[in-house]
Each structure stands twice: as C-alpha cells, then as structure tokens.
Amino acid sequence: GQNIDQPTEMTATEGAIVQINCTYQTSGFNGLFWYQQHAGEAPTFLSYNVLDGLEEKGRFSSFLSRSKGYSYLLLKELQMKDSASYLCAVRETHASGGSYIPTFGRGTSLIVHP
Amino acid sequence: EPEVTQTPSHQVTQMGQEVILRCVPISNHLYFYWYRQILGQKVEFLVSFYNNEISEKSEIFDDQFSVERPDGSNFTLKIRSTKLEDSAMYFCASSEGPGREQYFGPGTRLTVT
C-alpha cells in the first residue's frame, strides 16, 4: 500500500512562486504524477517523474527524490487561473508484477489572490 | 486537440436501479480506465482495460460493477444495482500505453437517491 501526504491548502499572491510538497511511502516506487484539478472538472496532467531530479515545463516544474520519498511541484509567475487543487499521484510496483495505476493523494487546494 | 468525452454529464437514479456511464476515449489510445471521486474526497481508481479485458481492478470494483467496449469507440461502466454511496463523479481516462500519462474525460456526476 501507499501513504501520500500533501498540505491541504496553500495561498499565494499573483506573480509569486509557490512550492507544493508531496511525501510518500511505498514499497516499490514506479513513477510520480502531478495533476491539476479545477473545482468540478477533471484532473489534467501536468508532469511525470520517475528518476531523481527536476523536470521543467514552462511555468511548472516538478522535482523528485526517490531516496527521501519526496516530490514538489513548483509554480512560477502565478496567475489567478492557477487557483485549483493539485494532485500528487504515485505508481507502485506490486510483488506480482508491474502496476500502471496511480494512487492519488487528497490534493492541495491552492488559492491565488491579487 | 483530441479529448476524452463522457455522457451523460449528470445522471440521477433511484437506489437499486442500473446505470450505464459512457465514454469515448481518444481514438489512438489503447488503455482505458475508470476512476471515481466522491465529493470532497480523493480520486480513486476503479478499473483498467486493455485488449478487451480487465487488466487491473481495485477493491471498490466489486460484482456490481462491469465494463465493456461494445464497439470500436465506446467504453462503458455499468453499475447493476446502485447504492446511495455510489453517488460520486465518475471519470473515464485513456492513455497510449500502460506507463504513459492518462487523459481524463470531463466526468459524469452520478446522484443516487
């Protein structure tokens, strides 16, 4: 099984930088995803990390440390439309073989204010 | 840009009734998934489907649930006898491969009364 922890809520100012952390415990790590979910809408894919290090994609970056069971999502130049829930999801390899199904955390609600 | 579509957007049904939720995955994707999200809670995996059979399922996906790909484009989730606790948003997703990112549909909000 997995245990995924994220802060419940964060607030930040438009134009600023915010870092959303995710820690996890798993017996067989097999990849970590970040999704964005606006209220009442479907999750949309942001990033994927399977090796240690930083993956950058425009204003969004995601970092992974497998030895620490830790990831963060970094959002730069925040815009009002970035107000949403950010979901950390971890994929785990099972003893019986690979699993490609991510287990989602409860999400971090980010509020961006002017 | 291709997208996953789902119908209906909202379904209201009485306890004990059967419902079928429909999805059209992205056309060149081969892997299909159903998730649910109870209001205010986290997204939960139900089932994955590949090559016309279930590849993985969670503990939630019990005998009252079934999935089908009746033709070359649709992917359906059937709940045989709905319960109040089945009320949730149901998301369909698809991916090109088993380890690739999953693209979610807009969801069907199921309300069981």
Side-chain angles (χ1 to χ4, degrees):
Chain A
Q2 299 179 42
N3 188 22
I4 301 170
D5 287 312
Q6 305 177 236
T8 303
E9 187 175 290
M10 299 181 71
T11 59
T13 306
E14 193 176 14
I17 299 173
V18 72
Q19 178 175 312
I20 302 173
N21 296 325
C22 172
T23 58
Y24 61 88
Q25 294 90 44
T26 179
S27 55
F29 178 80
N30 191 15
L32 186 145
F33 297 84
W34 283 97
Y35 283 84
Q36 180 191 62
Q37 187 178 28
H38 285 98
E41 297 184 13
T44 55
F45 170 79
L46 292 177
S47 69
Y48 170 63
N49 295 71
V50 67
L51 299 176
D52 291 350
L54 189 68
E55 294 282 341
E56 297 187 81
K57 192 186 288 187
R59 294 191 298 115
F60 292 59
S61 305
S62 58
F63 172 83
L64 175 69
S65 169
R66 289 172 295 170
S67 62
K68 296 181 180 176
Y70 168 68
S71 173
Y72 68 72
L73 179 70
L74 193 72
L75 293 78
K76 303 175 188 174
E77 301 168 18
L78 280 173
Q79 302 173 11
M80 299 296 289
K81 67 177 183 180
D82 296 329
S83 293
S85 187
Y86 290 86
L87 314 180
C88 173
V90 177
R91 216 165 49 191
E92 182 179 41
T93 300
H94 294 164
S96 58
S99 170
Y100 299 106
I101 308 305
T103 298
F104 285 80
R106 294 191 176 277
T108 298
S109 178
L110 174 65
I111 301 167
V112 180
H113 55 82
Chain B
E1 186 175 324
E3 58 184 17
V4 177
T5 60
Q6 290 185 242
T7 54
S9 57
H10 191 186
Q11 173 93 46
V12 181
T13 189
Q14 288 190 328
M15 197 167 51
Q17 295 297 305
E18 175 182 287
V19 294
I20 298 176
L21 311 183
R22 302 179 192 281
C23 168
V24 178
I26 294 173
S27 61
N28 65 331
H29 286 186
L30 301 176
Y31 292 79
F32 315 123
Y33 314 86
W34 283 102
Y35 292 85
R36 79 172 185 191
Q37 187 175 31
I38 296 170
L39 187 63
Q41 298 189 25
K42 62 182 179 180
V43 175
E44 298 174 292
F45 166 72
L46 293 178
V47 67
S48 63
F49 192 86
Y50 168 70
N51 200 26
N52 283 319
E53 61 183 28
I54 291 173
S55 47
E56 292 186 76
K57 62 181 181 179
S58 71
E59 294 174 351
I60 302 168
F61 194 86
D62 60 22
D63 292 344
Q64 70 163 338
F65 291 93
S66 62
V67 289
E68 193 177 33
R69 187 148 164 88
D71 52 46
S73 60
N74 289 282
F75 178 51
T76 62
L77 174 70
K78 181 191 289 185
I79 310 175
R80 265 180 268 283
S81 178
T82 51
K83 299 179 281 204
L84 294 175
E85 53 265 37
D86 293 328
S87 294
M89 183 75 93
Y90 287 81
F91 293 109
C92 172
S94 69
S95 65
E96 288 181 341
R100 301 293 300 273
E101 61 265 28
Q102 297 176 17
Y103 292 85
F104 283 72
T108 293
R109 179 166 298 285
L110 176 66
T111 302
V112 182
T113 62

